[in-house]
Amino acid sequence: MNVDGCERFIEIGNLVFIQYNRDASGALTPLPKKHVDTGSGLERIAAALQSIETGKILGNYEIDLFQTIIKKLRLPQRNSAMAARTAKIRRATFLIARLRITRAR
């Protein structure tokens, strides 16, 4: 999707067939109950709808819901040491949010 900056298509969902559990050694064990996940979360649908409204393709973290949260998490920068620490906190927060969204799918 969106190879080389092409914004002609946007993925708002995908099908994930959940049928195995992979253990620490890498072996696959069939799950007792298999299912299909659409991979279409609130953030993808909101990004698609807000992209139509704004006329600009928005990423998941550019939607109004996430921007409100991201702005609330920003800390004041007093000096360069504080700015570096703040940048690390922002990056960690971003990674945690991304991990939670990925695991929720």
Side-chain angles (χ1 to χ4, degrees):
M1 277 300 159
N2 302 340
V3 177
D4 298 327
C6 173
E7 294 182 346
R8 183 172 176 198
F9 304 102
I10 184 168
E11 180 182 81
I12 56 173
N14 56 22
L15 295 177
V16 179
F17 298 90
I18 317 269
Q19 45 189 338
Y20 298 103
N21 181 45
R22 185 182 307 267
D23 65 21
S25 71
L28 296 175
T29 307
L31 292 170
K33 293 186 178 181
K34 298 165 179 58
H35 62 280
V36 179
D37 182 359
T38 64
S40 180
L42 171 66
E43 74 284 354
R44 286 186 177 195
I45 295 169
L49 292 173
Q50 289 178 24
S51 293
I52 292 169
E53 291 173 2
T54 63
K56 174 186 167 204
I57 301 293
L58 300 175
N60 292 346
Y61 294 102
E62 296 173 309
I63 62 173
D64 59 3
L65 175 66
F66 283 169
Q67 284 299 306
T68 301
I69 295 168
I70 290 167
K71 287 176 185 170
K72 293 275 185 191
L73 292 173
R74 291 193 175 146
L75 302 173
Q77 296 182 11
R78 296 187 189 136
N79 56 40
S80 59
M82 181 67 150
R85 183 169 176 259
T86 301
K88 287 181 184 177
I89 292 170
R90 284 184 188 155
R91 180 72 178 149
T93 303
F94 170 80
L95 292 174
I96 290 167
R98 187 170 186 176
L99 177 64
R100 286 185 179 168
I101 290 166
T102 302
R103 286 192 175 178
R105 289 187 189 153

